[in-house]
Amino acid sequence: MATLTKQKIGSVLAKQGILVAFALFIIAFTFANPKFLSVDNLFSVIRSSAILGIMALGVTFVVISGNLDLSVGSMMSFSTIVVLDLHDKIGPFLAIPAMFAMTLCLGAFIGFLVGYLKLNSLIVTLGMLSAIHGLTLTYSGGKNMDIADKEGTWFSVFGQGTALGIPVPILIFLGLAAVLGLVLARTPFGRKVYAVGGNGTAATFSGIRRARTVFLCYVMSSACVAVAGLIQASRSLGSQNTVGQGLELEVLAAVILGGASLMGGSGTIFKTVIGVLILGFIQNGLLLLGLQFYVQFVVTWVIIILAVWLDIAAKRGKLWSPIA
Amino acid sequence: MTDPVLRLEGIVKTFPGVRALDGVSLSVMPGEVHALMGENGAGKSTLMKVLGGIHQPNEGRILMDEKPVVMAGPLEAKAKGIVFIHQELSLAEELTVAENIYLGELPKKSFGRVDWATLFSKTDAILKKLNVGFGAKTRVGSLSIANQQMVEIARALTVDAKAVIFDEPTASLTDAEKVVLFDVISDLQKSGVGIVYISHRMEEIFKITDRITVLRDGQYQGTVETRETDEEKVTQMMIGRKLDLSRNASHHELGDVALEVRGLSCGKLYDDISFDIRRGEVVGFYGLVGAGRTEIAETLFGLRDPSKGKILLDGEEVRLNSPSDAIARGISLVPEDRKGQGLVLGMNCRDNMTLPQVDDLKAGPFVAEGAEVAIFDLYRDKLDIRTPGWKQKVGNLSGGNQQKIVIGKWLSMKPSVLIVDEPTRGIDVGSKSEIHKLLRELAAQGYAVMVISSEMPEVLHVSDRIVAMYSGRIMRTFTSEEVTEDSLIQAISGIGGDKAA
Amino acid sequence: MQPGALSDALKKGAIWGFIVLELIFFSVAGEYLSLSDNAFMDYENMLLLLKQSAPIGIIAMGMTIVMINGNIDLSVGATYAIAAIILLDSMTWPIFAGLGDWVIPVAWLLALLAGTMLGALNGIIVWKTGVDAFIVTLGSMLGFRGIVFMFNGENPTSHLNWTLVDFAEAQVLGLHTATWFLAIVTLVLWYVMTRTVHGRNAYAIGDNREAAVNAGIRVGPHMMINFAIIGFLAALSAVVFYSESGSVNPNDGQLYELWVITAVVLGGTKITGGAGSVIGTLGGVIAIQLLRKGLGHIGADTSTVNLVIGLILIAVLVLDRQLNVKGKEELKV
């Protein structure tokens, strides 16, 4: 009986482990520094996580469909640079839709390669990481991009504005999370994403168009990247052309931390948001404790491995792997 | 009298919901070829997994040279001299033949270097014995499936084997290659090795084996001397109760032809297939594994492109390019591989069941969950699916209940043609007869039903007509009145196919 | 001819054919487009090319065996940076003050040891927890990078030892020190992968893990050894490169994993494991470096290199898919 309850606690821990860890973190940090749980600080954490978080929302779709996307970082640099450049050339009203169109084209191209041509997503998006980076450099001529008139544009509203006292990036992030959460959890498309990632063959045998579903996931991901790029551009009104470099792996870390399996078929938008916030809170909390920013890297490392390990340990019912 | 090299005594193995092995005994004498027979799901492979240490028995013991042993895993079995020749190939395709044969036991020189000279000379000796047309240095991936099978067989000759288990070794071999295999077996026999030979092919069994042990539904049916028995008696033991062999007697009123296939071919998979199914009719497709039945079903479901021929639905010729085309035309397929093709195991019961129609069940932009639950409840009651609730993950259900979810999934599509492929594979007897009853009822309601099965009683039980297939061709079509077990077995073995339909 | 033999031959020779194409293209195009008067196929230029291939190349050899084994390592860039810092930092540690130039081998040893340990750590985690290597090394990529910053914050670590620089810039038999290291590593790993039990078992594990387990091959230790080797090689790459440059930034080595994986895949190693060769990878490394230099030669900037390499990687994948299409009657799943 004792073992039974122990097992139960174990399985609850494993299932909701990430939430438990999240709660523990917040409690610990709050004890260490009461400022941690203040509204201002919460806002600051979410705002600084917003760009990463928005990209993570899109990547969640891709990962649940059983694929990877390593190209989101360089794609974000691309959309940031493009929208900044076009802002001065054709004005923000046209620049924003033009940038979205271009970014969605990139996503559609990846979706075509992975979905319809059934190519390995890791390699395709690795190639696209490099190719889009090149595209961005070519586009910008290797220079940083700045808006000429930084004071006189309303374009800064996406990154710097507030509405109802809440910073706009937070509103966009949480709003998008709510919408995409509903799409994933409640719409036929979302259901198909889970089916394709859970068992692609069975999904095909159920009449689901697997290629189209995967394609749409990548398009969705690129749309999120475009939004992230928009916020990034609007926040600083100028940017280096490597602004998104390395973000792809942080994004993936957040998604995995949220409990999505790289095998596909599991994960939720809510959990991804938690994953993003955990990364944000670790960063923030360690800084408040007076620790250097790089300590968060090490802490994140440990947390990612522990989180995934406990998750699969619970599934196989054994802590250690049976590999001989 | 000599002692058996290997003896299994009263083996019991249960899985949740199934008693897979119920007191099975088997003894193999040195130098004996012992056939293990039974229908699919009779427990042969489970028994071999127990012997190989992959499953631990709940009761009973394994003895080698009359000493009880415990098989902790495949390695231990091998170390004790039990060698398995698997039906599914377990080869590393990029490596050479020699490396595959000595996988895990490459001869070593100093500093962990491979002793290629020894490896190749040993391998060449084995290959010479097998009389195959490839060398030790050939890359396994470049060999034909039959030759890959020979590589697998060559593994048995590397160790000092006490007992060798052949699991359907001839499934992919040509006649000439079979002769070589039988020579190998008789060589092993002469050196005192005990051999367990698992096969469905009667002619082989009677050619090379000494004794036959038969399993049915996980139960031991007895062991007979091959010389003192004949095919009919063995078949009787395998299929069991006379009752099971009863044919379907009741016919429903037949409607129009729902599905007609004319001269359908698909590469080497099947050739010139023609048949029709009327509403209210159950047509059984019987044949050995690999006869091309599943491939026909997959073609009808839009998963393969036929190279020739026509498919007509309600008299109208159709092109089916994808499962969604087929579904839109009212075709449903309950696939052969329940876990691989039928279900998303990590999804809940309801979502699995409504997956093909999730686009149509909408309330605004969202899935109408109420409608989904209603569909699930309806088919849960209709099919008597036992689950704590729709939220249960399908992976947690028993095989029979899983199968009912798949069937419910396709019934809820209200198809005009229902194709079921091996509908009762690996599920318990109780669920089996329920599913049989269900298939008859569906026909009564006006469905055109195509049943693919490798189990004779099943085909006899449910079919109005039976199509017998052998190696990609239809040999003969029987009505349920004219069919006999003998004629059916002959037709699917390629004998007496001159009366082709 | 067996079906598939043609595609096999094409695939094996493809990377070298590609290199020849590149050489021809850049030589010819260089005549018209190049800003300098030097020919592209200049002897010195080619030697330099090999030298410049070494840092990525040495790591790529390790990545090849890890990927043949069925795993992947994303943390090599960070390991590279750690080893570089240890190399340069340790030469200034007070305890080694009395060693004179003998501090060099000590520093080398420390750096290589650190790399090997970090690699082995990845390997042990993959082995013992059963977490996918992609996730484990994604995590350690972050973690190792954090460790890099712990040494010196965001400041570069510098130490020039002229004996060391001389050694690194030496040319023996015409080849630079770095080139020699690349050549030796390639040869040794080629020998290990084709001639030793460890190498052959690594192939078997990547090819068909279940078969390997059933045949009694111990999967875990082999994986761990390969991770230790790639850690060692990431450190070796750093040691060779930073002996000459003498200064390391905490962000050095970032994105190396991507370059390395690109080279390995171009060289024909299967992403799912079981197939590939270090010789092919050498081809992949040289092809990438040629592309960089060649595009520079004809006046294209670095941006084009990224674009072209990315698209070539995808083109290779598309081509591979086309060559492997089975009959028309294949199941459409």
Side-chain angles (χ1 to χ4, degrees), chain C:
Chain C
M1 204 154 157
Q2 293 263 2
L6 177 68
S7 73
D8 276 359
L10 268 178
K11 270 190 270 175
K12 271 190 189 137
I15 191 66
W16 301 104
F18 182 60
I19 290 175
V20 171
L21 271 181
E22 278 183 311
L23 284 173
I24 295 172
F25 176 78
F26 290 125
S27 299
V28 174
E31 293 292 315
Y32 301 101
L33 297 170
S34 176
L35 304 172
S36 73
D37 292 332
N38 295 336
F40 182 64
M41 290 268 279
D42 178 60
Y43 179 66
E44 288 297 317
N45 200 21
M46 291 295 117
L47 281 185
L48 199 60
L49 179 136
L50 286 175
K51 180 188 175 182
Q52 288 163 340
S53 312
I56 295 286
I58 291 173
I59 306 177
M61 295 306 148
M63 190 67 86
T64 310
I65 66 173
V66 167
M67 282 172 67
I68 284 173
N69 203 186
N71 292 314
I72 199 163
D73 189 347
L74 299 176
S75 68
V76 284
T79 309
Y80 173 86
I82 289 185
I85 288 191
I86 289 181
L87 173 81
L88 298 181
D89 210 40
S90 65
M91 287 194 279
T92 64
W93 290 350
I95 48 162
F96 301 141
L99 287 174
D101 271 350
W102 284 107
V103 76
I104 295 173
V106 175
W108 274 53
L109 210 65
L110 281 176
L112 294 176
L113 198 67
T116 313
M117 301 280 281
L118 292 176
L121 178 64
N122 278 332
I124 287 204
I125 295 174
V126 172
W127 172 10
K128 287 297 172 189
T129 65
V131 176
D132 193 76
F134 186 91
I135 296 177
V136 170
T137 57
L138 173 66
S140 49
M141 182 191 81
L142 287 171
F144 294 176
R145 186 62 67 182
I147 296 173
V148 170
F149 281 104
M150 285 180 180
F151 280 92
N152 230 341
E154 287 172 270
N155 306 312
T157 306
S158 302
H159 179 78
L160 265 185
N161 178 318
W162 291 106
T163 317
L164 201 50
V165 174
D166 286 342
F167 168 72
E169 285 183 345
Q171 274 173 283
V172 181
L173 300 173
L175 296 181
H176 296 89
T177 308
T179 311
W180 276 110
F181 273 98
L182 176 60
I184 292 167
V185 165
T186 308
L187 266 179
V188 169
L189 284 191
W190 172 78
Y191 191 84
V192 167
M193 294 312 281
T194 56
R195 294 287 182 273
T196 69
V197 173
H198 169 71
R200 304 318 290 169
N201 284 351
Y203 272 99
I205 292 166
D207 193 329
N208 188 339
R209 184 151 158 183
E210 208 182 321
V213 170
N214 282 336
I217 294 174
R218 292 195 64 204
V219 172
H222 284 297
M223 295 197 310
M224 196 188 73
I225 289 170
N226 286 331
F227 272 109
I229 292 176
I230 195 175
F232 172 85
L233 291 176
L236 184 66
S237 171
V239 158
V240 172
F241 185 76
Y242 289 99
S243 289
E244 186 173 357
S245 91
S247 175
V248 51
N249 246 305
N251 281 319
D252 282 4
Q254 244 175 21
L255 293 184
Y256 266 35
E257 54 279 348
L258 303 182
W259 286 99
V260 164
I261 293 170
T262 305
V264 173
V265 173
L266 277 182
T269 296
K270 233 162 99 181
I271 184 85
T272 47
S277 78
V278 290
I279 305 294
T281 299
L282 184 66
V285 170
I286 293 176
I288 290 182
Q289 194 58 34
L290 255 179
L291 204 63
R292 282 188 185 206
K293 272 194 102 73
L295 288 172
H297 183 70
I298 61 172
D301 45 21
T302 46
S303 58
T304 323
V305 182
N306 286 294
L307 188 62
V308 171
I309 289 181
L311 293 180
I312 285 177
L313 189 62
I314 291 169
V316 165
L317 222 55
V318 175
L319 202 68
D320 185 58
R321 159 82 44 188
Q322 292 310 312
L323 289 175
N324 283 325
V325 172
K326 288 173 195 148
K328 262 193 86 181
E329 61 260 30
E330 193 182 359
L331 193 64
K332 289 187 272 185
V333 178

Side-chain angles (χ1 to χ4, degrees), chain A residues 233-244:
Chain A
S234 156
R235 190 155 78 179
S236 48
L237 299 178
S239 171
Q240 297 183 318
N241 43 37
T242 53
V243 61

